[in-house]
Amino acid sequence: TQLLEQSPQFLSIQEGENLTVYCNSSSVFSSLQWYRQEPGEGPVLLVTVVTGGEVKKLKRLTFQFGDARKDSSLHITAAQPGDTGLYLCAGLPRIRAGNNRKLIWGLGTSLAVNP
Amino acid sequence: DSGVTQTPKHLITATGQRVTLRCSPRSGDLSVYWYQQSLDQGLQFLIQYYNGEERAKGNILERFSAQQFPDLHSELNLSSLELGDSALYFCASSVEASGRPSYNEQFFGPGTRLTVL
């Protein structure tokens, strides 16, 4: 069974602090996505990383795909209350049986940024 | 606004009943996915349809079924409802056009909150 483990599960920080959340697996993924979900709403795609070692930046958010494409991290600089939400990672397995293109989802990191 | 619409937004019903959730994908997207999200289990993939045909199945119960119509909208039918079916149900869509690389990037609707009493 392919799993994506996210850590930490919960994180509560003060505005202005930096933080890093992780998405780890023993499986290789051809691509990995990060989503943010606010309470009562659907997840919103933030970024897709495809190449091992790839780094992508989205304003204060920096996403990195591991060299072996088994893990990823999300770093937020100077967190703001608007960053509060559930951060989900989802990976597309490298080896897919038949025509199965199911994303594998992590359980998420719930981030609270306090003013 | 992702461009994916879901109705209804809220649904309250009783155990044993049957409900239908509706989803319209983004214009041009051929794939529709259904997910269930509860506090203790996270986002659980139920089923995927591509251009009217079932493409992949996840943890979908036999009491649940779905279909995608020629106009690409989709419906998720939940029957013999139990208290444990109370959850948020999300629909997502993606392009997955043939001949183009696809990372299965998904765009989610606002969800339907189902409460079974």
Side-chain angles (χ1 to χ4, degrees), chain A residues 32-88:
Chain A
L32 194 137
Q33 300 158 20
W34 285 92
Y35 293 78
R36 180 171 66 212
Q37 183 180 19
E38 298 187 19
E41 300 183 9
V44 174
L45 178 66
L46 296 175
V47 78
T48 300
V49 285
V50 179
T51 307
E54 182 177 4
V55 176
K56 279 192 174 178
K57 293 193 174 185
L58 187 65
K59 295 183 181 178
R60 294 174 294 99
L61 278 61
T62 302
F63 304 85
Q64 184 162 8
F65 202 10
D67 291 340
R69 294 189 294 171
K70 292 182 178 182
D71 53 78
S72 181
S73 63
L74 159 58
H75 181 80
I76 301 179
T77 304
Q80 298 177 1
D83 296 326
T84 293
L86 179 68
Y87 288 82
L88 294 159

Side-chain angles (χ1 to χ4, degrees), chain B residues 53-68:
Chain B
E53 295 189 1
E54 182 182 305
R55 171 69 72 90
K57 248 183 178 178
N59 302 320
I60 188 166
L61 300 172
E62 286 191 9
R63 301 183 285 109
F64 296 180
S65 64
Q67 53 184 329
Q68 186 179 28

Side-chain angles (χ1 to χ4, degrees), chain B residues 86-102:
Chain B
S86 296
L88 272 167
Y89 290 83
F90 289 104
C91 166
S93 72
S94 69
V95 174
E96 286 209 56
S98 61
R100 287 175 50 189
S102 169

Side-chain angles (χ1 to χ4, degrees), chain A residues 30-31 33 35 37 40-45 47-48 50 86 88 92 99-103 105-107, chain B residues 9 35 37 41-43 45 48 55-58 88 90 96 102-110 113:
Chain A
S30 61
S31 64
Q33 300 158 20
Y35 293 78
Q37 183 180 19
E41 300 183 9
V44 174
L45 178 66
V47 78
T48 300
V50 179
L86 179 68
L88 294 159
L92 192 62
N99 206 19
N100 187 338
R101 296 182 61 81
K102 288 190 298 185
L103 279 180
W105 291 84
L107 292 179
Chain B
K9 184 128 178 91
Y35 290 88
Q37 188 177 42
Q41 294 213 354
L43 196 66
F45 167 69
Q48 177 200 356
R55 171 69 72 90
K57 248 183 178 178
L88 272 167
F90 289 104
E96 286 209 56
S102 169
Y103 306 119
N104 211 344
E105 294 165 326
Q106 297 181 16
F107 297 86
F108 284 77
R113 181 175 292 280

